[in-house]
């Protein structure tokens, strides 16, 4: 098992970074997010890795953060979602945005990634929503992650509701976990009302 690679970046391609470790160049398939975080050719870099062996291929996948690595592993655990599809989704969505998208049941956002159809997107949400929203793997633990996800990427009714609640004086860390568990197809006003009702229950 190859847990990570740490060495000199010797090449960057649209979907791959090559890291030289001990005289050996390891080609790591990766996301645009990770590629954007790596430095220039010749700099020392570190990637968390997953080594995947299938009947037709043996590939190494690399990620700049453990969170992105965990999101990749979550995606590839879904039936019918392979490494290529997982990289495509995580190239379009940062880990925080991906987590909030799934936790809020927003399968439509996932279909914006090339090759991800409505059925695949719905399957991803169905199989992963409870894991993420329930914090069973700790990916959404802490207000900092919730805040970053809500502030940087929440869109549509969910985003409008969070912004309105923040304007009312609540923090993003307080409201994002509640809004994420509601039906994203509801109007922003309904999302706001139900979130406020949840706060009322907690305080009563």
């Amino acid at each position: 098992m190859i847990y990570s690679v740490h060495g000199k970046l010797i090449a960057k391609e649209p979907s791959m970074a090559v890291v030289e470790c001990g005289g050996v160049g390891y080609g790591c398939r990766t996301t645009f997010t990770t590629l954007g975080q790596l430095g220039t050719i010749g700099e020392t870099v570190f990637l968390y890795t997953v080594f995947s062996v299938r009947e037709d291929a043996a590939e190494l996948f690399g990620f700049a953060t453990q969170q992105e690595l965990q999101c990749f592993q979550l995606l590839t655990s879904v039936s019918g979602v392979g490494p290529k599809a997982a990289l495509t989704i995580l190239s379009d969505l940062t880990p925080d945005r991906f987590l909030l998208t799934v936790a809020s049941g927003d399968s439509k956002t996932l279909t914006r990634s090339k090759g991800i159809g409505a059925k695949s997107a719905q399957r991803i949400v169905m199989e992963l929503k409870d894991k993420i929203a329930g914090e069973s793997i700790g990916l959404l633990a802490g207000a900092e992650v919730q805040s970053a996800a809500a502030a940087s990427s929440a869109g549509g009714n969910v985003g409008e509701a969070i912004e309105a609640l923040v304007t009312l004086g609540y923090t993003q860390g307080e409201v994002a976990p509640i809004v994420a568990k509601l039906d994203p197809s509801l109007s922003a006003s309904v999302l706001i009302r139900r979130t406020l009702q949840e706060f009322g229950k907690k305080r009563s």
Side-chain angles (χ1 to χ4, degrees):
M1 176 179 179
I2 303 175
Y3 179 81
S4 64
V5 293
H6 182 207
K8 184 170 67 174
L9 181 66
I10 60 174
K12 287 173 70 174
E13 300 176 8
S15 61
M16 179 179 289
V18 182
V19 183
E20 185 181 76
C21 307
V24 178
Y26 292 88
C28 301
R29 296 199 176 279
T30 190
T31 66
F32 294 147
T33 303
T34 284
L35 286 172
Q37 294 179 41
L38 295 179
T40 58
I41 302 300
E43 291 187 2
T44 299
V45 298
F46 177 94
L47 293 175
Y48 294 99
T49 58
V50 174
F51 185 53
S52 173
V53 179
R54 305 191 305 277
E55 290 184 3
D56 58 342
E59 297 177 301
L60 190 63
F61 298 90
F63 306 93
T65 66
Q66 284 187 314
Q67 189 187 41
E68 189 176 42
L69 167 67
Q70 289 174 301
C71 288
F72 174 80
Q73 292 173 320
L74 275 175
L75 278 164
T76 53
S77 73
V78 176
S79 57
V81 178
K84 183 178 179 180
L87 290 181
T88 298
I89 291 172
L90 293 175
S91 286
D92 292 333
L93 303 173
T94 64
D96 284 342
R97 185 176 181 186
F98 166 72
L99 294 171
L100 184 62
T101 295
V102 174
S104 63
D106 183 11
S107 61
K108 185 176 180 180
T109 291
L110 297 177
T111 63
R112 295 171 186 167
S113 295
K114 185 178 180 180
I116 306 301
K119 289 185 178 180
S120 294
Q122 291 166 3
R123 188 184 309 117
I124 290 170
V125 168
M126 181 179 68
E127 294 191 24
L128 300 183
K129 184 176 181 179
D130 288 343
K131 291 182 180 180
I132 293 172
E135 299 184 5
S136 61
I137 55 174
L139 286 175
L140 287 178
E144 291 183 2
V145 172
Q146 291 283 6
S147 175
S152 65
S153 57
N157 296 341
V158 171
E160 289 179 23
I162 291 174
E163 289 179 9
L165 288 162
V166 170
T167 301
L168 291 173
Y170 296 95
T171 68
Q172 292 167 341
E174 288 176 321
V175 300
I178 296 175
V179 177
K181 294 178 182 179
L182 301 176
D183 185 348
S185 66
L186 295 172
S187 67
S189 61
V190 173
L191 291 171
I192 292 168
R193 184 170 66 250
R194 293 193 180 180
T195 300
L196 292 174
Q197 289 173 346
E198 288 298 316
F199 274 111
K201 292 177 183 178
K202 291 180 180 180
R203 293 173 181 176
S204 60

